[in-house]
Amino acid sequence: MNRFDQKLAEHQLTLRRGSLQTLQINVGRKCNQACRHCHVDAAPWRTEMINGPTAERIVAWIEEHRPPIVDLTGGAPELSEHFRYFVEKSRAARAHVIDRNNLTIIEEPEYGDLPEYLAAHEVEVIASLPCYSAENVNKQRGNGVFAKSISALKKLNAVGYGTTLALHLVYNPLGAKLPPAQSELEADYKEALQRDFGIVFNQLYTITNQPIARFAEDLRHQGQWDAYLELLANSFNPSTVEGLMCRTTLSVDYRGQVYDCDFNQMLGLEMKNGHPLFLWDLTTEMLENRPIITGFHCLACTAGAGSSCTGALGI
């Protein structure tokens, strides 16, 4: 029994899947950045990307099973040659589409039309901006990233994002600590970005750093691994369990294999039935009430106010 399961047992809790709300497609590991907190270990030199036949099989599943939400992530999902295929086919299937956008991709010359494209298809944008100060953003994501992010946000605002179209920002703590209160930090973000740059957005999502990939390497290098896991375990909040994203989200990788969440995907904790399962092996009914595969990393989602792909769990 892992430490997360021990916490569940202490509180007489179980964790099983509910009805599917979100199909999250990780189209691959390639990204135009290499951020220190990235749980995907994404980078410009990564080559693992979804191919055409797999994209077609995933779209066929979407058309048959009609998940309410299709969430596109990566890497930088826009780098996939099949990104727009997913957007257009998912919208045609009446799914709400989310693009998890790192903002700097919009500043790449060949992707300059992204704001207009996303707006035309009414795609919700969830964008990474780990702080409203240039120093902190550049420290976590690389020199020059803050300026590019601000430029991209202005372009998104210009086509209606933050007003008529949904634009949410994502905050990750800098270092081995939990995020501050989401509502208070959101107010600070809104004040600073409006005052300094005239930028507006809808909501801020605070997400706890997962102790995997590069962030785990940094924790071990700095001698903070044990202390961070203790922080997560000691901050376990049983009230967050009911709202965990793994209950209603299905993660699919660039090969079509399925996982309970994107974090499990990065750790290779695939869903199995005697063998690894692919999306086209499943129906939505088969997912309901299925036990969820857990690990020590799950403590990051239940610490404090909780954490998910849509921020704190509000508890």
Side-chain angles (χ1 to χ4, degrees), residues 110-224:
E110 59 269 44
Y111 298 96
D113 68 330
L114 267 173
E116 290 80 8
Y117 175 82
L118 296 171
H121 293 280
E122 299 180 311
V123 175
E124 176 182 332
V125 173
I126 299 180
S128 302
L129 191 70
C131 190
Y132 49 80
S133 86
E135 180 181 0
N136 285 344
V137 171
N138 291 339
K139 186 175 181 180
Q140 191 178 83
R141 302 181 71 200
N143 290 333
V145 167
F146 183 75
K148 290 180 179 179
S149 298
I150 293 300
S151 175
L153 284 169
K154 288 180 177 179
K155 292 173 182 177
L156 288 167
N157 276 178
V159 295
Y161 278 99
T163 50
T164 58
L165 295 165
L167 171 62
H168 309 305
L169 302 184
V170 172
Y171 165 88
N172 293 86
L174 190 63
K177 56 188 176 183
L178 298 182
Q182 183 169 280
S183 59
E184 295 175 13
L185 188 60
E186 179 182 291
D188 292 343
Y189 261 70
K190 286 189 171 182
E191 179 185 3
L193 292 176
Q194 173 70 55
R195 179 190 66 231
D196 296 341
F197 307 105
I199 288 169
V200 295
F201 66 95
N202 298 101
Q203 291 179 267
L204 179 72
Y205 296 152
T206 57
I207 298 181
T208 303
N209 287 324
Q210 284 279 339
I212 56 181
R214 290 189 196 118
F215 186 65
E217 291 174 9
D218 287 348
L219 289 173
R220 291 189 177 99
H221 179 71
Q222 296 161 9
Q224 295 182 317

Side-chain angles (χ1 to χ4, degrees), residues 27 30 49-53 55 76-86 111:
V27 300
K30 190 172 185 178
M49 295 293 284
I50 199 165
N51 61 31
E78 305 85 0
L79 289 176
S80 168
E81 61 182 303
H82 308 293
F83 173 77
R84 300 190 184 204
Y85 173 68
F86 280 127
Y111 298 96

